[in-house]
Amino acid sequence: MRALLVMNPKATSTTERTREVLAHALAGELETEIGETAYRGHAVELARAAAEDGVDLVVALGGDGTVNEVVNGILTARVPAGGRLPDLGVVPGGSTNVFARALGLPNDPVEATGVLLDAIHENRRRPVSMGLADNRYFTFTAGYGFDAAVVGIVEERRSAGHKSTGSLYIRSALRHYWRDLDRRNPPIGMKMADGTEIPRLFMAIVTNTSPWTYLGNKPIVVTPESSFEDGLDLFGVTRMSGRAALRIVRQMFTSTEKLVRGKNVSLHHDLTEFTLTADVPTDFQVDGDHLGLRESVTFRAIRDALRVAM
């Protein structure tokens, strides 16, 4: 079996020594090539080239951003008629690793490598659905509006040398809420594939699985029915006054049942296709990667998009 190991040398939870050990372990079992990412989008290029070259397995060693790029490389590859896309392997190496943890993989990279090697020996593969936002695939979440703006602020702070932590996200959310957000006029509209429209939103979180994210070791659940076997779910917020926002945030941490049944929340399950629009260019993110401002994004569920070795 031929494999490509895509490694992010800046992965936050692995050292250079750990990456060397993991690469050696995989190379001992597979005909393995190693590709280290050097810039944003590099993992897409590496994974796509490997898929088009007939590689059987592409392993992403890094955080959710690296996994997202590898998935996009695999799923945008052009394979010959009758050919097959490679399987995906995941070894978590980032600060949060939502996709790997949602799959049930260990958060420790050494333990996750052991699970991957066992899956290869026993030929265990799990079909997993993906989301598609315009032309960008996502593995666990996409955001439009408030949460995407917070992701953008965090990226700016990380570029300035700040470490990615839960407190950084909380501070960034508070800063955006008090300084930048128009709390009276929700900018986002949503239209289903059949033309049905829903009340306007301040924030739209689209999920391909649950939890939405983690704060440290605590899972944050906003779409409790979301899973890799179904279509996409959407959690929307229709009101962002101080009292409403505080209630929603408190319930995110204390009671998912109250959150999804509460006022000022719009919840939709197992969607195949819908479009979000905004009156002005609005922040957009996928899998924690800020992609700039958009006036419209169309989301689609791609069922059984690829197979994960696990």
Side-chain angles (χ1 to χ4, degrees):
M1 176 183 288
R2 295 172 60 211
L4 170 69
L5 172 60
V6 178
M7 295 196 301
N8 179 1
K10 296 181 180 179
T12 56
S13 67
T14 60
T15 64
E16 182 177 356
R17 175 59 179 163
T18 300
R19 290 191 290 272
E20 289 177 353
V21 170
L22 299 181
H24 182 74
L26 287 173
E29 300 290 335
L30 306 169
E31 183 184 338
T32 306
E33 294 184 13
I34 297 174
E36 288 197 0
T37 58
Y39 49 84
R40 187 169 180 168
H42 194 189
V44 176
E45 298 171 7
L46 293 171
R48 183 185 295 130
E52 293 176 351
D53 190 40
V55 163
D56 303 293
L57 175 71
V58 180
V59 179
L61 170 54
D64 288 309
T66 301
V67 175
N68 177 278
E69 289 195 7
V70 167
V71 166
N72 274 272
I74 293 173
L75 293 179
T76 57
R78 297 180 179 179
V79 298
R84 190 178 70 84
L85 292 173
D87 298 328
L88 172 69
V90 179
V91 178
S95 57
T96 311
N97 308 307
V98 179
F99 180 64
R101 293 161 82 176
L103 285 169
L105 293 172
N107 203 36
D108 178 80
V110 176
E111 293 182 14
T113 301
V115 171
L116 175 60
L117 292 175
D118 287 344
I120 292 168
H121 291 154
E122 299 170 15
N123 196 30
R124 294 198 312 264
R125 304 291 187 273
R126 175 182 175 179
V128 174
S129 297
M130 291 289 149
L132 182 63
D134 285 345
N135 59 353
R136 179 70 175 258
Y137 292 93
F138 59 95
T139 65
F140 66 94
T141 192
Y144 194 55
F146 183 86
D147 98 292
V150 173
V151 169
I153 294 170
V154 169
E155 285 192 3
E156 291 177 357
R157 303 305 293 164
R158 291 182 65 183
S159 297
H162 292 258
K163 187 176 180 180
S164 178
T165 62
S167 63
L168 176 61
Y169 278 88
I170 292 171
R171 293 196 307 271
S172 300
L174 290 171
R175 170 188 165 188
H176 181 63
Y177 180 83
W178 292 113
R179 291 179 53 181
D180 304 318
L181 183 67
D182 178 356
R183 296 187 290 277
R184 294 179 180 271
N185 301 301
I188 300 169
M190 178 178 176
K191 181 180 290 187
M192 303 296 188
D194 63 2
T196 302
E197 298 188 17
I198 69 164
R200 298 185 70 80
L201 307 170
F202 284 96
M203 172 174 70
I205 296 172
V206 183
T207 63
N208 189 45
T209 187
S210 187
W212 163 46
T213 189
Y214 289 84
L215 190 63
N217 289 322
K218 180 175 179 57
I220 308 299
V221 177
V222 297
T223 52
E225 293 184 281
S226 185
S227 78
F228 290 122
E229 286 72 41
D230 293 328
L232 301 175
D233 283 22
L234 181 137
F235 173 87
V237 176
T238 60
R239 189 177 180 188
M240 287 289 275
S241 66
R243 180 175 296 179
L246 285 173
R247 182 187 303 113
I248 289 168
V249 170
R250 182 173 66 250
Q251 291 170 348
M252 280 184 177
F253 288 92
T254 59
S255 175
T256 298
E257 183 175 348
K258 288 183 179 179
L259 172 69
V260 301
R261 296 180 184 275
K263 297 188 299 182
N264 312 315
V265 165
S266 181
L267 188 67
H268 302 270
H269 173 58
D270 196 16
L271 302 176
T272 297
E273 182 177 341
F274 58 94
T275 298
L276 300 178
T277 60
D279 299 329
V280 296
T282 297
D283 291 275
F284 169 54
Q285 65 90 8
V286 298
D287 288 346
D289 187 3
H290 190 267
L291 298 184
L293 306 178
R294 302 281 180 90
E295 293 184 2
S296 174
V297 184
T298 295
F299 293 86
R300 297 180 180 87
I302 311 300
R303 300 174 191 266
D304 297 339
L306 49 71
R307 304 192 314 164
V308 180
M310 58 174 294

